[in-house]
Amino acid sequence: MGKPLFNKVWDAHAVRRLPSGKTQLFVGLHLVHEVTSPQAFDMMRESGLEVAYPDRTFATVDHIVPTDVRTRPFADEMAEQMMVAIEKNADEFEIPLFDMNDDRQGIVHVIGPELGLSQPGMTIACGDSHTSTHGAFGAIAFGIGTSQVRDVLATQCLAMDPLKVRLIKVDGDLADGVYAKDVVLNVIRQLGVKGGVGYAYEFGGDTLARMSMEGRMSICNMSIEGGARAGYVNPDQTTFDYLEGRPHSPAGDAFERAVDWWTSIASDEDADYDDVYDLDAASIEPTVTWGITPGQAIGVSEKVPALTDLQDDDRDVACEAYDYMDFQPGHPIAGTRIDVAFIGSCTNSRISDLREAARVAKGRKVASHVKPLVVPGSKNVLEAAEAEGLHEIFIEAGFEWRSAGCSMCLAMNPDKLQGRQISASSSNRNFKGRQGSPTGRTLLMSPAMVAAAAIAGEITDVRQML
Amino acid sequence: MPASSISQVAGPGIALRGSDIDTDRIIPARFLRMITFDGLGDHAFEDDRKSNPEHPFNDGRFRDAAVLVANGNFGCGSSREHAPQALQRWGIQAIVGESFAEIFQGNCTVMGIPCVTASSADVAKLQDAVEADPSQPLDVDLAKKTVTCGNLVTQVDLPEGNRVSLLEGAWDATGMLLEGADAVREVANSLPYARGFERD
C-alpha cells in the first residue's frame, strides 16, 4: 500500500520521538500576526531565547487593521499598542514584517500563497486556526496557540501527535453559481463540525482536480470548521502553474527540481486512507448557514430544518440556534432580510472571489437598507481588482470598497455588526457574537451569494442573477 | 523550562451544558485586543453570561470551581490561547468533556490544564452531581484515568502523549524541543526546499 501525502510530509519533517510519545516535527514555514504573537515574544524575552530560524518566519498585520482610515496612531489605543508590539518584536527578533506600509500586507492566509511562501510538501504553522488554508498547496498546515508560537519561534518545531487521513472525494461538475465555498459547507453539513477531529482531510476527486488554487484554498480554509486540524489537496499542474514566478517560489532550474519533488510527495495512487467519503458535486446548490455552527447549512431552496429532520446529537444545538437566530423551523431561508453584506476574510477575499461577486453586482444597486462591504484579502488583491476595474463595479452598485484586512470576519477592528443585525457573509464562522455584536447574526455563503443578497436585500438564489 | 508534574487535579466542579461551545464564546474577540493575557479571567464567557443570568459562571455557588464539566466539541473554532488562558485565570485547572476540539485541547495541555473525555452518560452524571452539590470535590486522576465525585467513579481518557507530558512534567515542551537542535538542523538540511532546491 502507498502513502497519502500527509504521511510522506510528516515523515520528512519528523525530527525524533519525544519521551511523551509525541513527534518533534520541523516546521518549514512559520507565519506570524499581531494577535496571537505578542505574548509569545514576551515569553522568548523572559527566557532569553532567540528565533531559531528567522529566515523561515514571516509576519504581517491583518486582524486589527482598520480597513477605512489607516492613519497612525489608530483611534483604538489597544490596536495601536498591538501594532507597536509586532513592529518592535519583528525588529528585535529580526523577522521580516509586512506592515501596513508594505505592498505585501494582507490577511496572513492570503499573502502566504500569493507571495509563493506556501509550497507543496512543507509543514506550515501559524497562530491562527485557518492556517489549514495553505494545505491547498499540498502542505500540512496547522493552526496553533500562543505557547506553541513560542515553541516554533524558539525551536522551529512542534510537539505533535500524527493525524489519521480521511479522503474526501468530490466528483462531478459544479453548476454555474455554485462554488468551492458551497462544497466545503456541504462537507461540514454532512460530516459535522466535529466529524474531522483526529483527522487531516485530503480533498480529492475530479471536481478538485479541475478547481482553481483559490477554490482549493477556500475549501482547505474551512477544514477546521469541520473539526479537521489540517486539510490539503495534492499538488498538480494547477499548483505548479500558480506558483511559477511568485516572489518566493524557486526560479529557473530550481523550479523544475522543485516540481519533481512536489510531484513525488503527492499521495500514491494506491494510498491507504483511514476513511473515505464521497460527495457528488452536481447535487450541491448555493448553500447558506441558518444557525450558529458552520454545519447548520442548507441549500438556498431548502427550509430551516425541523427537529425531526435532525440527528439526536444535533437537536440541542439546533434549539439554541432557532432561539438565537430567531428563525422558525420549516421556514424557507430564501427571503431572509439582511442588514449587512460582508465580502472578505481568509476564506473568500481573493481575486476570483471578487470577480464572481462583481459579476453579480455589475449594473445593479444594493438594497437601500443594506450596509455592504468589500474587503480585499491583501494589497495585492486590491491592486489586481482595481486594475480590472472591479472596484468601480462595486462602488457603482453601492458597496464600500475597503483596504486589506480580516475586518468583519471577527470584528477586532472597527468593522462590526450592531445589535441584532443579520449579516450575509463570505467568512467562515457564524458563531454567536462572531461579527462584533454579542447578539449579531451571521449567515455564511459564497461571495456571489453575498452580492446577490446585498442587491435583493434578502437571501436569494444567485443562480437567478447570473 | 521546567514544568511540574500534574497527576491529579481536585476541587469543586462547575457544569457547563451544551455542545459546540466555541472559543469565541469562551472569550469574545474584542478581549483579544491586548498584548498580555492579564485580566482575561474576568471576561470568560462574558457575552453568554450577560445574555443568560443563570449561566453557571454567574452563579456564586460555583465561584470556587476548579474542574469544568462540559459536553461535546468543547473549544471549537479559533486557535486563540486566550480561551484557556481566560478559563485558567478564572480558576479552572482541569476540564472533563465528551470531546474537545484539537487545537483547544493542545493549548490546554501546553498550559498544564488536563482535558479528559468521558462518555455522554458519564458526563451527564457528573454534571448532575456537580449541580446537586456544588461544594463536592471532583478528583481528576491522570495516573488512574478516573474522575471521582463522591461515590461516582468515572473512567476517562486523553491522548497518551498528553497524559505522559502532564504526568512527567513535560507539558511545556520548549525545553525538550530545544534539546533536539542538532537533529532539527539535520532534518532541515535534508529538505529540498530548505536547501533552495539546489542540485544534488
Side-chain angles (χ1 to χ4, degrees):
Chain A
M1 276 301 214
K3 284 184 186 175
L5 175 141
F6 181 89
N7 302 75
K8 294 187 188 181
V9 174
W10 180 276
D11 293 348
H13 292 78
V15 175
R16 60 177 184 144
R17 190 182 153 94
L18 295 167
S20 63
K22 290 179 190 260
T23 302
Q24 176 164 358
L25 195 71
F26 181 74
V27 173
L29 174 66
H30 185 199
L31 300 168
V32 173
H33 66 72
E34 75 279 18
V35 178
T36 54
S37 68
Q39 300 88 347
F41 284 112
D42 280 346
M43 295 181 220
M44 298 280 286
R45 261 188 288 272
E46 281 165 23
S47 307
L49 295 166
E50 291 180 0
V51 175
Y53 289 74
D55 57 329
R56 309 229 135 260
T57 312
F58 296 86
T60 191
V61 292
D62 52 11
H63 284 61
I64 56 160
V65 297
T67 57
D68 45 8
V69 181
R70 286 160 76 98
T71 47
R72 298 280 299 275
F74 297 144
D76 178 350
E77 280 177 34
M78 287 312 304
E80 178 63 23
Q81 218 180 95
M82 294 170 79
M83 196 60 78
V84 169
I86 196 160
E87 287 164 347
K88 175 174 169 261
N89 290 329
D91 184 51
E92 185 180 328
F93 289 92
E94 298 178 346
I95 294 169
L97 170 66
F98 308 138
D99 66 12
M100 293 220 310
N101 300 319
D102 194 299
D103 290 343
R104 296 164 290 184
Q105 180 263 337
I107 303 176
V108 65
H109 309 310
V110 175
I111 69 164
E114 76 184 8
L115 296 175
L117 289 166
S118 315
Q119 295 173 14
M122 279 183 170
T123 46
I124 300 177
C126 174
D128 195 288
S129 59
H130 292 112
T131 306
S132 56
T133 310
H134 307 264
F137 290 82
I140 301 301
F142 297 113
I144 56 176
T146 296
S147 296
Q148 290 174 309
V149 170
R150 170 205 56 196
D151 288 348
V152 180
L153 288 171
T155 71
Q156 204 62 26
C157 290
L158 286 167
M160 298 216 34
D161 287 319
L163 297 169
K164 293 182 284 186
V165 183
R166 173 178 290 143
L167 171 63
I168 297 178
K169 205 164 161 289
V170 191
D171 290 300
D173 290 321
L174 293 172
D176 195 24
V178 179
Y179 301 94
K181 180 67 159 286
D182 303 301
V183 172
V184 72
L185 284 172
N186 278 278
V187 168
I188 303 166
R189 175 187 185 178
Q190 298 301 332
L191 296 174
V193 290
K194 57 176 184 280
V197 172
Y199 285 96
Y201 279 174
E202 176 177 315
F203 295 99
D206 60 51
T207 312
L208 268 289
R210 286 190 300 274
M211 192 176 279
S212 70
M213 286 312 298
E214 298 196 346
R216 295 176 186 182
M217 286 185 238
S218 299
I219 289 182
C220 292
N221 172 276
M222 288 189 69
S223 305
I224 186 66
E225 311 310 334
R229 191 167 189 177
Y232 67 88
V233 179
N234 281 305
D236 60 10
Q237 195 58 44
T238 304
T239 319
F240 310 147
D241 291 346
Y242 178 98
L243 283 168
E244 191 164 14
R246 304 245 164 208
H248 289 267
S249 290
D253 291 354
F255 186 80
E256 287 169 28
R257 289 190 291 276
V259 167
D260 287 345
W261 187 65
W262 295 341
T263 305
S264 75
I265 55 94
S267 296
D268 294 323
E269 271 185 30
D270 61 345
D272 190 18
Y273 295 95
D274 298 287
D275 191 32
V276 179
Y277 179 79
D278 288 295
L279 184 67
D280 172 19
S283 70
I284 298 172
E285 62 170 347
T287 300
V288 182
T289 62
W290 59 271
I292 55 172
T293 79
Q296 290 173 323
I298 50 178
V300 66
S301 69
E302 293 181 68
K303 296 177 169 118
V304 173
L307 282 182
T308 47
D309 302 333
L310 299 167
Q311 312 268 350
D312 287 354
D313 258 13
D314 297 332
R315 287 186 188 146
D316 286 348
V317 178
C319 289
E320 207 179 332
Y322 300 144
D323 188 46
Y324 183 83
M325 299 300 286
D326 196 20
F327 288 170
Q328 301 304 316
H331 200 79
I333 197 71
T336 304
R337 187 180 158 98
I338 66 156
D339 306 296
V340 173
F342 171 61
I343 296 171
S345 87
C346 58
T347 314
N348 282 121
S349 62
R350 299 179 182 85
I351 189 70
S352 57
D353 298 318
L354 303 190
R355 282 182 193 136
E356 287 302 309
R359 183 176 159 209
V360 176
K362 191 168 188 174
R364 296 188 169 107
K365 293 284 181 196
V366 170
S368 58
H369 67 274
V370 174
K371 180 184 171 64
L373 290 185
V374 183
V375 186
S378 69
K379 284 199 185 176
N380 274 313
V381 172
L382 183 145
E383 274 178 30
E386 292 191 346
E388 292 180 22
L390 299 184
H391 64 308
E392 285 164 0
I393 295 173
F394 286 122
I395 292 165
E396 183 65 23
F399 286 86
E400 293 181 34
W401 177 248
R402 296 292 189 89
S403 301
C406 301
S407 182
M408 207 187 271
C409 174
L410 85 170
M412 282 191 71
N413 79 341
D415 307 330
K416 295 178 198 312
L417 295 184
Q418 305 295 325
R420 300 268 296 142
Q421 280 183 329
I422 292 183
S423 165
S425 179
S426 73
S427 54
N428 40 59
R429 289 187 173 136
N430 52 344
F431 297 158
K432 289 180 175 180
R434 172 74 180 183
Q435 290 193 285
S437 161
T439 53
R441 293 171 283 176
T442 302
L443 277 65
L444 303 175
M445 61 198 81
S446 70
M449 278 287 286
V450 176
I455 286 151
E458 59 185 40
I459 302 303
T460 193
D461 189 339
V462 69
R463 289 173 297 186
Q464 292 160 9
M465 296 175 73
L466 293 172
Chain B
M1 263 159 282
S4 53
S5 163
I6 297 170
S7 58
Q8 214 170 9
V9 175
I14 181 169
L16 184 61
R17 293 180 188 268
S19 293
D20 305 327
I21 293 180
D22 58 74
T23 52
D24 274 82
R25 285 170 68 183
I26 300 173
I27 188 79
R30 63 183 180 279
F31 299 115
L32 275 50
R33 290 166 36 259
M34 52 161 43
I35 56 171
T36 68
F37 291 128
D38 298 343
L40 278 176
D42 296 339
H43 301 295
F45 295 109
E46 175 135 332
D47 292 343
D48 281 6
R49 290 164 72 176
K50 280 190 175 156
S51 68
N52 173 19
E54 289 170 15
H55 193 281
F57 276 68
N58 283 333
D59 189 333
R61 294 178 302 154
F62 301 115
R63 189 59 197 90
D64 295 327
V67 180
L68 173 63
V69 188
N71 294 101
N73 202 26
F74 188 74
C76 59
S78 160
S79 62
R80 62 188 69 168
E81 189 173 306
H82 305 68
Q85 291 281 355
L87 294 176
Q88 190 179 56
R89 280 152 211 269
W90 190 87
I92 299 301
Q93 297 168 42
I95 312 177
V96 186
E98 290 172 40
S99 63
F100 295 92
E102 274 166 277
I103 301 178
F104 178 84
Q105 190 171 25
N107 284 341
C108 285
T109 305
V110 297
M111 291 171 56
I113 305 172
C115 291
V116 300
T117 54
S119 70
S120 305
D122 285 339
V123 165
K125 281 184 205 162
L126 286 169
Q127 289 179 329
D128 290 345
V130 164
E131 286 168 354
D133 181 1
S135 67
Q136 186 166 221
L138 267 69
D139 184 347
V140 180
D141 188 322
L142 297 181
K144 292 188 200 151
K145 296 212 270 187
T146 56
V147 174
T148 307
C149 179
N151 294 328
L152 185 66
V153 181
T154 303
Q155 288 300 315
V156 296
D157 204 5
L158 73 165
E160 187 60 15
N162 292 358
R163 192 175 83 98
V164 174
S165 300
L166 291 161
L167 283 173
E168 297 189 351
W171 39 274
D172 179 342
T174 317
M176 204 160 288
L177 295 175
L178 277 169
E179 283 172 20
D182 290 341
V184 174
R185 181 67 61 187
E186 209 171 295
V187 168
N189 289 338
S190 75
L191 291 163
Y193 67 81
R195 290 184 278 114
F197 294 103
E198 66 189 20
R199 224 176 282 279
D200 288 330

